[in-house]
Amino acid sequence: MTDPQSSSPVKLEKGPDMRVTVAGIELRSPVIAASGTFGYGLEFDDVLSLDRIGAFVTKGLSREPMAGNPSPRIIETAAGMINAIGLQNVGVRAFIADKLPKLRRIKGLVTIANVFGFTIEDCVEVTHALNDAEGIAMIELNASCPNTSHGGMVFGTNHELLFELVSKTKAVSRLPLMVKLSPNVTSIGLMARVAADAGADALSLVNTFLSMAIDIETRRPRIANVTGGLSGPAIKPIAVRMVHEVAKAVTLPIVGMGGILNEKDTVEFLLAGATAVEVGTASYADPRAVENIATGLRKWCARHAIERVSELTGAVVL
Ligand SMILES: Cc1cc2nc3c(=O)[nH]c(=O)nc-3n(C[C@H](O)[C@H](O)[C@H](O)COP(=O)(O)O)c2cc1C
C-alpha cells in the first residue's frame, strides 16, 4: 500500500516483533522445545505447528545408539517430575540418515542438535558427524553427563573438564555451539565464565537437578536408577536465579529453562537475562504447550505494548 502524499509505504499496524537472535541464528519466537521432551520433533508434527515455535532441540545424540535405563524411569513429584531415561537415543548416524531428511521437509523448522558423550572424544565425534549434515542450525552440548574417563565425574561440575570439553568441541564445530550447563554446582556463574572462555557461542540452563524419591511402603527408590533429574515448576525459582547469575557473569546469549508452563514464566526468564527459553516438562502435560506458550507470549507483549520481545532481556528492575 502506498501513501498518495508521499512515495513511502504506509505503516500498517503490526504485532510485536517476536524475533530473537541466539549465536547468530535468528528465531521467529524465543520459545524453543527442550531436549528430551520433544523426541526427534517429527512425533509432534501432527500435534502442533512446528513452524510457529522458535526452534526445537533433539533428544541427546550419542556416538552409538543407547537403550537407556530400566523402568521405572519417570515419576511424578509435587510440582514436577524425576526422570532417569538414561539418554536413550538412536545414535547420531541413524539420526542423520533416518530423521533429518524428514525434518528438512518441514518448512521453517529450526533444528538444534543436542550432543552428549561419555568422553570428550565422543562429543567431538558426534559434533564432527553433524558438521556435514544439512538442516542443523546449532549444536547444544549437554555438559550434564558423566565422563567415564574421569570416574564418572559430570563434565559440567568440574571447571577444568568443562573447559576441555567445550574448547575441543568448539575446535571441530562448523555450527554455532551452545553449551548446556549443569545446575548441580555451587557457582553457576563460574561455570558460565569457563564455558565462555572456552569458546561457547551461547549458554543454555538449566538441566535437571539431581534428586531422589523413596516409596515408603517398599522402602525402595521410586526410580530404578535410584537417582534422577528433577524438572518442572518445582525448579523454576532456582533456574530463574541461575539465569540471573549467569547474565551477570557473561555477555553471551542465554537460553533459560526450568519449569516454564506459560507465557508469564517465560517473561520472568527473559527479565532475568535470557534471550530465549526452552520448554520441557510442560510438553508432557500438554503436547501443544510450546506453541501455546509462543502464542501466549506474543499476546502478552501486545497487551503490554512491548514492540520487540528482545527489549525484555535482562530488564529486571533491581
Ligand atoms: C524426560 C526428560 C528427558 C530429558 N532428556 C534430556 C536430554 O537428552 N538432553 C538434555 O540436555 N536435557 C534433557 N532433559 C532436560 C530438559 O531439556 C530441561 O533442561 C529440564 O527438564 C528443565 O526444563 P523443564 O523444567 O521445562 O522440563 C530431559 C528432561 C526430561 C524431563
Side-chain angles (χ1 to χ4, degrees):
M1 195 192 299
T2 308
D3 180 347
Q5 304 302 312
S6 78
S7 55
S8 55
V10 171
K11 271 201 175 157
L12 296 171
E13 274 295 317
K14 276 200 286 183
D17 183 351
M18 300 307 286
R19 289 170 301 173
V20 294
T21 303
V22 176
I25 304 297
E26 189 181 279
L27 309 177
R28 71 174 64 77
S29 160
V31 185
I32 301 170
S35 178
T37 61
F38 212 72
Y40 300 102
L42 300 165
E43 299 87 335
F44 285 75
D45 195 19
D46 294 336
V47 183
L48 52 79
S49 304
L50 286 169
D51 61 355
R52 294 238 177 101
I53 66 175
F56 99 94
V57 187
T58 67
K59 261 174 189 264
L61 300 169
S62 51
R63 190 143 89 166
E64 303 302 333
M66 283 182 54
N69 288 328
S71 293
R73 49 189 197 170
I74 289 192
I75 58 156
E76 200 173 333
T77 62
M81 65 190 252
I82 300 178
N83 94 83
I85 301 288
L87 298 160
Q88 178 183 1
N89 79 103
V90 297
V92 70
R93 284 185 295 272
F95 170 76
I96 292 170
D98 306 333
K99 312 280 182 193
L100 199 53
K102 294 179 192 136
L103 286 168
R104 273 201 297 266
R105 276 185 234 132
I106 303 172
K107 208 169 155 275
L109 177 65
V110 177
T111 301
I112 300 174
N114 184 284
V115 167
F116 76 94
F118 295 101
T119 62
I120 290 176
E121 292 65 40
D122 285 348
C123 295
V124 165
E125 200 179 310
V126 176
T127 303
H128 209 260
L130 290 165
N131 273 342
D132 303 323
E134 199 192 318
I136 303 286
M138 196 188 302
I139 285 176
E140 179 179 67
L141 177 64
N142 179 4
S144 297
C145 51
N147 180 310
T148 44
S149 339
H150 285 74
M153 181 184 284
V154 173
F155 287 108
T157 58
N158 175 291
H159 64 88
E160 283 162 5
L161 262 183
L162 182 66
F163 187 88
E164 199 184 337
L165 171 71
V166 176
S167 50
K168 289 194 170 158
T169 308
K170 174 68 187 170
V172 297
S173 184
R174 184 181 63 78
L175 296 162
L177 183 69
M178 175 157 80
V179 176
K180 186 165 179 181
L181 298 175
S182 167
N184 300 306
V185 294
T186 311
S187 172
I188 193 94
L190 169 69
M191 291 308 187
R193 273 198 301 276
V194 168
D197 290 347
D201 299 301
L203 300 176
S204 56
L205 63 139
V206 296
N207 212 314
T208 54
F209 287 80
L210 198 56
S211 56
M212 181 174 175
I214 300 170
D215 180 327
I216 58 168
E217 300 305 330
T218 62
R219 303 189 177 190
R220 288 179 185 279
R222 290 179 63 202
I223 288 272
N225 188 54
V226 181
T227 60
L230 180 67
S231 62
I235 69 171
K236 196 191 80 180
I238 319 178
V240 171
R241 185 267 295 172
M242 288 187 157
V243 165
H244 179 57
E245 226 169 289
V246 168
K248 285 190 292 181
V250 298
T251 54
L252 293 178
I254 298 167
V255 176
M257 77 198 89
I260 294 176
L261 290 184
N262 52 45
E263 68 277 9
K264 289 182 184 168
D265 295 337
T266 303
V267 173
E268 217 177 317
F269 274 90
L270 300 180
L271 293 174
T275 295
V277 298
E278 288 181 29
V279 173
T281 301
S283 293
Y284 278 81
D286 174 6
R288 301 196 56 189
V290 189
E291 184 183 352
N292 290 343
I293 295 171
T295 307
L297 181 64
R298 183 165 38 75
K299 289 182 179 164
W300 190 94
C301 287
R303 275 201 311 280
H304 289 76
I306 304 289
E307 280 181 27
R308 283 175 301 275
V309 69
S310 56
E311 289 167 31
L312 295 171
T313 296
V316 61
V317 179
L318 297 173

